[in-house]
Amino acid sequence: MYTAEMRELIKKVESTRPQRIGVNFERMTPAEKEDVLRENHPDYKKENFRVLRVGKNKGQKVPLELANLIEANSRINNTQIDLSKINYDVDVLVIGGGGAGTSAALEAHNKGAKVLIATKLRFGDANTMMAEGGIQAADKPNDSPAQHYIDVMGGGHYTNIPELVNALVKDAPGVIKWLNDLGVMFDKEKDGTMITTHGGGTSRKRMHAAADYTGAEIMRVLRDEALNRGIEVIEFSPAIELLMDNEGKASGAILLNLETGEYVIVRAKTVIISTGGAGRLHYQGFPTSNHYGATADGIILGYRAGAELAFADTIQYHPTGVAYPSQIFGALVTEKVRSMGATPLNIHGEQFVYHLETRDVEASAIIRECLVKNNGIETPTGVKAVWLDTPLIDILHGEGTLEKRVPAMFRMYLKFGIDMRKEPILVYPTLHYQNGGLLIDENGQTKIKNLYVAGEASGGVHGRNRLMGNSLLDILVFGRRAGLHAGEESKSIDVKDLNIKHVSDYNKELLENGVVTERVSPMLLPHYTHGR
Amino acid sequence: MSPQKMVDIYILGKRYSVPDSLTIMDSMEYAGYKLIRGCGCRSGFCGACATIYRIKGQKELHFHLACQKQVEEGMYITQIPFFPGDKKLYDINKLEPNADSMAQLYPEIYSCIGCNSCTKGCSQDLNVMQYIAYAQRGDLEKCAHESFDCVMCGICASRCPANITHYQVGILARRLTGKYIAAETEYLIDRVIEIGDGKHDHSLEELMGKTLSQLQELYNSRDIEK
């Protein structure tokens, strides 16, 4: 429900609407983009980053909150754990039960491997479930993997690793077909043509969707398939440390049963980290659109074992997080809302940025409008916000379109007394995605033998900025690739004795570099008190 | 900011005073809980936080996701973090999209007594009994669309006197619809074959060899579909 002041301001939005319909706001030039990023993007706020003192990326900067977890003690310091008592002995251990992990498990299983999925919360509790807008793939006749490649590289400011982008765009149509054949219900015309839209920074309409439940639909189908295949899953049991063999190869993990407090020892021939992102670290005090479990755990484990980070200092702030009402503060308003024509407006009801710039540019323009130009709308949470003119969607595409194409958004707002078909909504950037992570190659391999990473925990494919619809794609492309490779490799691996020497080595390195701290990581779960 | 207005709520029967602006989920954290079960995406998509409440002095039960419902004075709250619903195992490649597949895997749908408790309990306000009716008569496509927004929170199954696990019926109908009933996408099949035949390798290799300025030129001058 809007306040009386807000309702007054909505009248301005309504008064400028007739003149805005059908008028395309101009896109920024490359120089203008550069300027707005430098001035406003949180990645450029130097005081919120710190140089690492230990590990492979020593000397490089990462967000403060991540640095605090990297430079922290293991949860198993001063704990006696008997590594000879093996609870699970498998070919492939997948850590994390989201989209990347589940697709990896399915492909490793296809290879005949004995697979175990260990996950911190429930199977399927992941950012995948919350991906709303869509998944990119260059399948239409007017599109090509090469066209997709150019969009990805431009969106990532040409910093992306070319081999990874090549894999991403080349596998994309195959991923859509794989999902379709598993029974994912994509939005289609009667003749089978996929209903596709633009995302910020795309040159072709290649965003495939399942209403605004795209990730949820993909996740529930993949989960159902994994259950049908009989793949074993241990829920509420996050990995708290990797295990290595005497040759320094990854060989399993120590899990913590969150409900009983017991340790679980898993021996595995190959290990795939698919633990997702870090939104719950709330970098720079931002709210987040991320899952409760997005606390960078896999990055901590992998880094401690000697894997390298790439682009760990670049974070994606989604331009449109919920700014009001406070109950859903920070939740995602899918980019699809803008893909379908809703435009951002300031307090005067004026558009100030093209509605489909890449996410980093769009978010920076919104921050500038609120904090620099002072044209934001005050909200009770203390955050300034801009309007997103959602009634435009039905005006442009016909009554009933919004409810049909973004039913989750419509339902969410309605539960809190706002009808986004008739009233604009208030948005501000929200912490959405970690662009970087543990560095991988085309098969998801790190430089630690037998250690793979897939999905948001990995780094390199998106460079410094990811395009909409390339994350659902990334998790499936590299999840499948990692699963296939790890499943195949596991056939010729013979695991020897397990050890955790890398943890004591890491402790030593912390001390030698003057890091004395009480902090413990991985974080596992955030702590909230809501002002109490 | 105006001072917080507090309300009394009862979590598992125990009284707590919490700000009235919070969701049920946030109010539990305000009360001091560190959630492990019953908390997931916190955005209404994952179905982890199915919650039942009754308002003090009233008889009626209400069903919501804890992350999508604001607290009210006198709420008696409990969560259903897990429900032991029955999921049948099947090979999707060996099923046919018809009533027989449904009847074989989930015959209990024919025991529905029409009480509509499933629909009344749905945290997403779906017409659950209607989609079960579609499943009964083998109209899988309608069942798929009617159940599409299901987050599998489990409240429907917990309320059902016929032991139907509605959300598993829904996902079976949706997978069969997506795989068999919806029309094939011909151009997608063609593109996958082209890529398999290596027809896009050359253009991609060429792009991978481009310098920064060449890529910038390509990106900044690319034509954008209207």
Side-chain angles (χ1 to χ4, degrees):
Chain A
M1 209 91 83
Y2 284 121
T3 63
E5 292 85 354
M6 288 171 179
R7 262 182 264 127
E8 224 19 69
L9 289 171
I10 288 176
K11 287 181 186 159
K12 284 194 187 168
V13 173
E14 288 167 344
S15 73
T16 61
R17 195 177 285 144
Q19 294 115 58
R20 286 184 281 110
I21 291 171
V23 180
N24 246 341
F25 199 87
E26 211 165 321
R27 289 187 175 86
M28 285 191 212
T29 64
E32 287 168 339
K33 289 181 194 173
E34 192 61 34
D35 286 347
V36 76
L37 284 171
R38 280 192 186 286
E39 183 187 44
N40 302 285
H41 197 279
D43 279 359
Y44 288 89
K45 309 280 174 228
K46 283 202 185 95
E47 65 278 17
N48 295 303
F49 293 81
R50 189 171 92 215
V51 166
L52 290 176
R53 289 171 284 180
V54 293
K56 271 278 178 304
N57 297 73
K58 187 173 171 173
Q60 295 174 20
K61 68 180 170 67
V62 301
L64 289 176
E65 296 81 354
L66 183 61
N68 282 343
L69 293 178
I70 287 175
E71 296 178 349
N73 299 299
S74 169
R75 286 179 171 267
I76 58 166
N77 284 358
N78 310 315
T79 306
Q80 286 300 318
I81 296 177
D82 184 355
L83 297 181
S84 67
K85 284 196 181 141
I86 291 163
N87 302 99
Y88 292 87
D89 204 357
V90 298
D91 297 329
V92 180
L93 168 63
V94 178
I95 303 172
T102 311
S103 52
L106 288 171
E107 292 295 2
H109 184 263
N110 279 344
K111 283 277 172 189
K114 184 182 177 193
V115 181
L116 176 70
I117 298 176
T119 186
K120 178 162 63 183
L121 296 162
R122 300 173 314 158
F123 186 20
D125 276 345
N127 283 340
T128 302
M129 191 66 99
M130 315 163 70
E132 297 163 7
I135 175 167
Q136 286 200 49
D139 53 2
K140 291 200 165 173
N142 72 340
D143 200 359
S144 69
Q147 190 75 27
H148 191 179
Y149 183 99
I150 294 169
D151 287 349
V152 176
M153 292 301 284
H157 305 283
Y158 317 99
T159 55
N160 323 47
I161 296 172
E163 290 74 17
L164 298 180
V165 180
N166 177 55
L168 183 81
V169 301
K170 206 194 276 188
D171 284 8
V175 158
I176 301 293
K177 181 161 189 312
W178 182 64
L179 293 174
N180 186 78
D181 293 350
L182 283 168
V184 167
M185 278 175 59
F186 285 109
D187 295 343
K188 287 182 184 179
E189 306 283 5
K190 286 259 179 295
D191 67 354
T193 303
M194 297 268 183
I195 300 171
T196 53
T197 50
H198 270 302
T202 57
S203 63
R204 294 290 181 275
K205 292 181 180 174
R206 68 168 79 89
M207 199 69 61
H208 302 63
D212 56 351
Y213 285 98
T214 314
E217 166 66 353
I218 291 171
M219 188 68 243
R220 63 196 181 189
V221 166
L222 293 178
R223 178 174 60 193
D224 195 60
E225 183 63 13
L227 295 174
N228 281 346
R229 303 267 197 98
I231 293 170
E232 188 162 8
V233 183
I234 324 178
E235 296 184 320
F236 296 95
S237 298
I240 54 165
E241 223 51 90
L242 294 177
L243 292 168
M244 312 296 275
D245 72 3
N246 294 337
E247 294 166 1
K249 299 173 183 169
S251 305
I254 302 173
L255 313 181
L256 173 65
N257 182 331
L258 287 181
E259 292 172 317
T260 63
E262 286 169 315
Y263 298 109
V264 179
I265 307 298
V266 183
R267 183 165 73 175
K269 293 169 181 171
T270 52
V271 179
I272 302 174
I273 292 176
S274 50
T275 50
R280 293 282 156 188
L281 302 188
H282 295 287
Y283 297 140
Q284 305 191 26
F286 272 85
T288 184
S289 59
N290 278 192
H291 196 278
Y292 185 48
T295 53
D297 300 356
I299 286 188
I300 304 304
L301 304 187
Y303 194 74
R304 222 172 247 162
E308 189 180 330
L309 288 167
F311 303 102
D313 60 335
T314 83
I315 306 301
Q316 181 164 87
Y317 297 84
H318 194 290
T320 57
V322 175
Y324 179 88
S326 66
Q327 291 80 21
I328 46 173
F329 182 51
L332 181 64
V333 176
T334 173
E335 189 160 324
K336 193 171 172 185
V337 172
R338 280 175 289 130
S339 296
M340 298 181 67
T343 52
L345 310 173
N346 63 21
I347 193 167
H348 309 299
E350 305 157 341
Q351 189 169 354
F352 53 89
V353 61
Y354 177 67
H355 61 299
L356 285 173
E357 296 287 1
T358 55
R359 284 183 177 169
D360 51 352
V361 172
E362 190 86 16
S364 298
I366 292 173
I367 293 171
R368 176 172 66 188
E369 200 65 18
C370 292
L371 304 186
V372 179
K373 299 193 172 174
N374 219 9
N375 284 330
I377 297 105
E378 295 272 3
T379 70
T381 48
V383 172
K384 284 197 178 178
V386 297
W387 296 112
L388 191 56
D389 198 10
T390 48
L392 281 175
I393 293 176
D394 279 2
I395 293 172
L396 292 170
H397 305 283
E399 216 167 288
T401 307
L402 187 148
E403 193 179 349
K404 182 156 184 270
R405 301 282 296 280
V406 287
M409 293 298 94
F410 176 63
R411 174 180 288 114
M412 176 171 81
Y413 274 99
L414 210 57
K415 280 186 174 172
F416 297 99
I418 292 169
D419 184 345
M420 67 190 285
R421 294 173 303 187
K422 302 197 172 76
E423 299 159 316
I425 56 178
L426 285 166
V427 295
Y428 191 76
T430 186
L431 174 48
H432 188 57
Y433 186 79
Q434 79 191 353
N435 292 311
L438 296 166
L439 179 65
I440 55 166
D441 70 7
E442 302 99 290
N443 293 312
Q445 297 180 101
T446 65
K447 287 173 187 163
I448 304 292
K449 195 84 179 118
N450 303 338
L451 181 63
Y452 297 74
V453 186
E456 194 173 342
S458 76
V461 64
H462 305 297
R464 301 193 67 82
N465 178 58
R466 174 179 67 79
L467 296 184
M468 171 196 184
N470 275 347
S471 181
L472 279 177
L473 180 59
D474 160 17
I475 61 169
L476 300 170
V477 165
F478 291 97
R480 294 180 75 196
R481 280 173 170 252
L484 278 173
H485 203 270
E488 185 61 35
E489 286 291 301
S490 70
K491 291 176 186 167
S492 54
I493 295 170
D494 188 21
V495 180
K496 306 198 180 65
D497 285 341
L498 302 173
N499 71 67
I500 42 172
K501 189 172 160 292
H502 67 285
V503 176
S504 49
D505 288 349
Y506 194 83
N507 287 341
K508 226 179 282 168
E509 199 187 342
L510 286 172
L511 276 181
E512 282 166 11
N513 289 284
V515 183
V516 180
T517 174
E518 297 287 304
R519 292 187 303 265
V520 171
S521 67
M523 179 191 267
L524 303 184
L525 292 173
H527 186 60
Y528 294 119
T529 59
H530 307 284
R532 180 162 160 256
Chain B
M1 282 220 285
S2 52
Q4 283 181 333
K5 186 169 172 269
M6 306 297 279
V7 290
D8 280 350
I9 61 166
Y10 301 82
I11 301 169
L12 299 172
K14 197 168 168 188
R15 184 169 59 85
Y16 294 92
S17 180
V18 303
D20 73 342
S21 60
L22 299 180
T23 60
I24 292 174
M25 176 172 288
D26 291 351
S27 76
M28 291 180 74
E29 290 173 330
Y30 182 92
Y33 280 78
K34 173 125 182 173
L35 301 172
I36 296 175
R37 294 263 179 182
C39 177
C41 75
R42 308 180 76 112
S43 290
F45 282 89
C46 80
C49 60
T51 300
I52 302 181
Y53 69 84
R54 181 180 65 79
I55 301 287
K56 192 176 184 177
Q58 298 176 7
K59 285 200 168 49
E60 208 182 335
L61 294 176
H62 303 271
F63 310 89
H64 284 275
L65 298 175
C67 69
Q68 298 291 300
K69 179 67 191 172
Q70 202 168 338
V71 290
E72 287 170 31
E73 177 69 36
M75 271 184 172
Y76 273 85
I77 296 163
T78 193
Q79 288 199 289
I80 313 179
F82 174 80
F83 187 78
D86 189 20
K87 180 200 148 32
K88 290 294 182 347
L89 304 183
Y90 52 85
D91 181 346
I92 191 79
N93 297 308
K94 291 187 179 147
L95 290 184
E96 284 181 31
N98 56 32
D100 287 352
S101 297
M102 199 50 95
Q104 259 172 24
L105 288 166
Y106 296 111
E108 62 275 15
I109 59 175
Y110 295 103
S111 309
C112 172
I113 59 167
C115 71
N116 211 27
S117 296
C118 50
T119 302
K120 284 186 217 152
C122 182
S123 64
Q124 292 281 86
D125 300 323
L126 302 182
N127 193 343
V128 185
M129 196 171 82
Q130 181 63 62
Y131 82 65
I132 294 299
Y134 288 137
Q136 286 172 340
R137 66 178 96 128
D139 195 339
L140 302 185
E141 193 172 4
K142 278 198 176 143
C143 177
H145 287 285
E146 195 75 37
S147 70
F148 190 80
D149 295 2
C150 169
V151 294
M152 304 178 85
C153 71
I155 295 173
C156 49
S158 77
R159 302 293 292 159
C160 182
N163 298 324
I164 298 169
T165 307
H166 313 69
Y167 52 93
Q168 296 295 2
V169 173
I171 192 170
L172 175 59
R174 292 194 298 275
R175 289 191 66 183
L176 290 171
T177 300
K179 183 173 175 63
Y180 296 110
I181 299 173
E184 283 278 13
T185 309
E186 297 300 335
Y187 61 80
L188 172 65
I189 297 168
D190 295 344
R191 179 58 50 82
V192 172
I193 293 170
E194 280 170 27
I195 291 170
D197 290 345
K199 286 188 182 153
H200 292 271
D201 291 355
H202 179 68
S203 58
L204 284 167
E205 273 159 27
E206 221 174 56
L207 283 173
M208 286 166 69
K210 297 274 185 216
T211 63
L212 172 63
S213 60
Q214 287 171 327
L215 269 179
Q216 281 172 327
E217 174 60 27
L218 279 171
Y219 182 73
N220 292 328
S221 64
R222 76 205 199 287
D223 70 295
I224 296 177
E225 182 180 0
K226 282 272 179 250

